[in-house]
Amino acid sequence: MADDELARTPEPPYYAVIFTSHRTGGDNGYAAMSDRMVALAAAQPGCLGVESARDSGIGITVSYWRDEQSIADWRAHAEHTIARETGRAEWYRDFAVRVAKVERAYGFSA
Amino acid sequence: MADDELARTPEPPYYAVIFTSHRTGGDNGYAAMSDRMVALAAAQPGCLGVESARDSGIGITVSYWRDEQSIADWRAHAEHTIARETGRAEWYRDFAVRVAKVERAYGFSA
């Protein structure tokens, strides 16, 4: 689940899938599906964490993965496939997906 | 500026800097600095776009860059350096920075 903690990823390299979107108006089942997809993604083999934020402008979800195969397996997941199709038909005005290889990372904690 | 549009990036490869954070309480000059940094980043040579969202949980800002040198130049920018130092001292409870090479991307528009 995206429990509002920062993802505790291992040392790079690993992969990030950056999903940015604008919603259509109304919920239409979106909130429940979104929570379910984050939980389901986080439970997939090779998933290293999920971070998600949405404000009045855009939504950004970044999921982190051990390798390309883990991303491909999640993409092929039946429930995820249905959610993606509904997303195009109902929930999103537009979106972008970027798959990136994390090369370095650092953090700060007060 | 992050004008709530999705970034119009060119064909990969290019770089993404993924900044995820939790705020401390109160504003303490954060909102003005944040807007200024997004505008300043977007105006740097090699910056391909900035996307940002913050909700009650975490904040996520993703900036896109032509190459590693552009990222290094932005990191060395004097005003950005001051903002980062103030961020550690005042604005952020914790944060993570990940530098990633975007390998593929696709989008959807209704």
Side-chain angles (χ1 to χ4, degrees):
Chain A
M1 301 257 332
D3 56 5
D4 294 338
E5 290 305 304
L6 302 185
R8 296 182 188 183
T9 44
E11 285 297 301
Y14 51 88
Y15 282 83
V17 178
I18 306 164
F19 177 79
T20 56
S21 67
H22 291 106
R23 287 291 321 284
T24 51
D27 185 69
N28 303 316
Y30 170 76
M33 177 285 302
S34 176
D35 288 349
R36 168 76 180 152
M37 282 304 116
V38 168
L40 201 56
Q44 296 308 299
C47 185
L48 305 173
V50 182
E51 296 170 325
S52 193
R54 177 175 296 282
D55 60 25
S56 59
I58 71 171
I60 305 178
T61 298
V62 188
S63 55
Y64 302 99
W65 301 87
R66 187 177 53 211
D67 51 30
E68 291 256 37
Q69 187 60 52
S70 306
I71 297 171
D73 290 347
W74 168 234
R75 192 172 160 78
H77 188 289
E79 204 174 331
H80 184 206
T81 298
I82 293 168
R84 286 204 312 278
E85 288 168 359
T86 313
R88 286 171 192 265
E90 301 230 17
W91 293 317
Y92 297 114
R93 179 157 64 78
D94 56 13
F95 65 71
V97 178
R98 295 178 175 93
V99 179
K101 187 175 189 176
V102 178
E103 297 184 342
R104 61 182 192 277
Y106 59 94
F108 163 80
S109 185
Chain B
M1 299 263 327
D3 55 5
D4 295 337
E5 290 305 303
L6 302 185
R8 295 181 189 184
T9 45
E11 286 295 302
Y14 52 88
Y15 281 83
V17 177
I18 306 164
F19 177 78
T20 56
S21 67
H22 291 107
R23 287 289 322 283
T24 51
D27 185 67
N28 303 317
Y30 170 77
M33 177 285 302
S34 176
D35 287 350
R36 168 76 181 152
M37 282 304 117
V38 168
L40 201 56
Q44 296 309 299
C47 185
L48 305 173
V50 182
E51 296 170 325
S52 194
R54 177 175 296 282
D55 60 26
S56 59
I58 71 172
I60 306 177
T61 298
V62 188
S63 56
Y64 302 99
W65 301 87
R66 187 177 53 211
D67 51 29
E68 290 257 37
Q69 187 59 52
S70 305
I71 297 171
D73 290 346
W74 169 233
R75 192 172 162 76
H77 188 289
E79 203 174 333
H80 184 206
T81 298
I82 293 168
R84 285 204 311 280
E85 289 168 359
T86 313
R88 287 171 191 264
E90 301 228 18
W91 293 316
Y92 296 115
R93 179 158 63 78
D94 56 13
F95 66 71
V97 178
R98 295 178 175 92
V99 179
K101 187 175 189 175
V102 178
E103 298 183 343
R104 60 182 192 278
Y106 59 94
F108 163 80
S109 184

